[in-house]
Amino acid sequence: MYSLTEYIIAFLISIAVAIIATPIVKRLSLKFKIADNANQRKVHKGVMPSAGGLAIFAGTAAGFLYLMPYSPYMTEVVIAGTLIIFLGVFDDKFVISPKVKLIGQIIAAVIVATSGLQVEFVSLPFVGRIEFGFMSFIITVLWIVGVTNSINLIDGLDGLAAGVSTIAIGSILTMAVLDQQLVVIALAVILIGSTLGFLIFNFHPASIFMGDTGALFLGFSISVISMLGLFKSVTVFSLIIPVIILAVPIFDTFFAIIRRIMKKQKISTPDKFHIHHCLLAIGFSHQSTVIIIYLLSFFFGVSAILFSASTLWGSLFLLVLLLVVIQFTAELIGAMGNQRKPLINTLKKILIFTSTMKR
């Protein structure tokens, strides 16, 4: 069992190493031409170093070596996480095909699943505990690959993926503390420290991107610690809680898949209709868009914590409320995206009229 002092030291080590490593990674990225070039779909301009995820990995590794959290699954998790880092670096450098990237993610997920760390059951109201049996392996692989890609897909603005990931991990940390899950606490603390250390350089205007190296690593890490903690819960809605925590990236990914299927496009086809693109299109600034999504992520994180601590009927009420919020937000963004400038002009006219009436 770790003391509070040890957790604080691990956090400080992780954030310090990430802060020190980021400028070094930036120089190495430019030297070895691991950079993100601007194009029609990208928001940034010019050439941006894009291997910042290595700094997050360095901070995480330093904190991990200090705490050395033990779990019977840890060897396989570390191997799979290292594979994800190599996959991300290769993609940032050479831009590998989506198919190759997906195969690499599946291999990493299979390594974790073969360790025995699997989503073995869910608990649902009025039904109770449902065992997945032989399907546990497949569901585990799908969960890891799905969450990994959801963080990767939302990585479209300065500081967005890092901030959303930090909020999600912070929510998991809070629940792990309440449930005294020491391994999850340790991993969450060092991940938050390393991500915040990198975020100093990545928040708008960013001087470096995390790239697929960072986005894939954070997504993979979140999927694993959620399985170590949230899916091992025997409380009602053990499946719903991690989904609520990751609601913003998961639903953004879900809508992206539906959108591309309806357009008869490949699922991997990039577009500019993710939630951050829509907010930018209706007139919000880069920084405002990121903060809005932070607030949405924070709202869902707090909701998940309240959800886990509520009674059955209280949880059902919160679930209905969350579904309404999700639906309302999706429709509002869609409507505003269709109106764009006319809507902004209408709002301006209302404000002008209101100010005139006050006079």
Side-chain angles (χ1 to χ4, degrees):
M1 184 174 179
Y2 304 107
S3 66
L4 177 60
T5 301
E6 288 175 311
Y7 285 128
I8 293 173
I9 292 173
F11 173 82
L12 293 175
I13 289 173
S14 296
I15 194 170
V17 169
I19 290 172
I20 294 169
T22 302
I24 299 172
V25 170
K26 180 180 177 181
R27 289 194 292 271
L28 291 174
S29 293
L30 293 173
K31 180 179 180 180
F32 292 102
K33 297 181 180 180
I34 306 176
D36 195 351
N37 297 310
N39 58 39
Q40 188 177 5
R41 195 179 66 86
K42 303 292 178 65
V43 176
H44 73 281
K45 298 178 181 180
V47 178
M48 185 72 72
S50 61
L54 288 174
I56 298 175
F57 179 69
T60 303
F64 184 89
L65 290 173
Y66 172 75
L67 284 180
M68 291 299 292
Y70 170 76
S71 168
Y73 320 112
M74 198 59 73
T75 299
E76 288 84 354
V77 168
V78 170
I79 292 171
T82 305
L83 173 61
I84 286 291
I85 284 292
F86 278 110
L87 181 68
V89 172
F90 268 92
D91 190 41
D92 287 331
K93 171 61 178 175
F94 301 108
V95 190
I96 58 179
S97 70
K99 185 181 293 186
V100 173
K101 196 191 308 186
L102 179 61
I103 291 172
Q105 294 168 19
I106 291 173
I107 292 172
V110 166
I111 292 172
V112 173
T114 52
S115 73
L117 178 59
Q118 298 179 8
V119 182
E120 298 171 344
F121 66 89
V122 293
S123 299
L124 297 174
F126 312 115
V127 177
R129 178 164 164 158
I130 301 175
E131 300 283 349
F132 288 135
F134 71 93
M135 289 295 293
S136 295
F137 191 95
I138 296 173
I139 292 171
T140 299
V141 171
L142 291 174
W143 173 255
I144 294 174
V145 172
V147 174
T148 299
N149 278 289
S150 70
I151 298 299
N152 193 31
L153 286 174
I154 205 171
D155 183 26
L157 297 179
D158 297 353
L160 184 55
V164 169
S165 297
T166 300
I167 293 168
I169 298 168
S171 302
I172 295 173
L173 172 62
T174 302
M175 298 179 72
V177 170
L178 295 175
D179 206 26
Q180 296 184 337
Q181 297 175 355
L182 303 183
V183 174
V184 178
I185 294 172
L187 293 174
V189 164
I190 61 180
L191 280 167
I192 291 173
S194 57
T195 308
L196 286 177
F198 172 75
L199 188 56
I200 294 172
F201 302 88
N202 185 236
F203 195 76
H204 186 70
S207 61
I208 184 172
F209 291 162
M210 68 167 61
D212 276 17
T213 307
L216 294 178
F217 176 69
L218 284 176
F220 170 82
S221 300
I222 291 171
S223 69
V224 169
I225 63 173
S226 66
M227 287 195 300
L228 283 168
L230 304 178
F231 279 118
K232 296 299 180 183
S233 172
V234 294
T235 58
V236 173
F237 295 117
S238 62
L239 172 65
I240 305 298
I241 290 172
V243 174
I244 294 175
I245 289 176
L246 295 165
V248 172
I250 284 178
F251 279 96
D252 187 55
T253 302
F254 174 76
F255 288 132
I257 292 172
I258 297 299
R259 184 170 62 246
R260 291 162 190 174
I261 290 175
M262 291 179 66
K263 291 182 178 180
K264 297 181 179 180
Q265 297 175 333
K266 292 182 179 179
I267 294 177
S268 58
T269 303
D271 60 37
K272 294 194 72 171
F273 295 99
H274 291 283
I275 183 173
H276 50 279
H277 291 131
C278 293
L279 289 171
L280 287 172
I282 61 177
F284 287 104
S285 68
H286 191 126
Q287 196 169 33
S288 296
T289 296
V290 171
I291 292 173
I292 288 170
I293 298 176
Y294 281 0
L295 291 174
L296 278 173
S297 299
F298 181 76
F299 167 77
F300 284 114
V302 171
S303 298
I305 295 168
L306 295 175
F307 201 86
S308 65
S310 299
T311 60
L312 175 60
W313 290 109
S315 296
L316 286 171
F317 173 76
L318 281 172
L319 178 60
V320 172
L321 179 61
L322 285 170
L323 291 174
V324 170
V325 169
I326 291 169
Q327 181 65 26
F328 176 77
T329 302
E331 291 185 6
L332 180 62
I333 291 174
M336 293 173 76
N338 290 330
Q339 297 298 322
R340 295 189 180 182
K341 295 299 180 181
L343 176 65
I344 295 172
N345 291 334
T346 301
L347 291 174
K348 286 180 179 179
K349 290 177 182 178
I350 293 172
L351 290 173
I352 293 171
F353 177 76
T354 305
S355 64
T356 305
M357 290 294 291
K358 288 181 179 180
R359 291 175 189 172

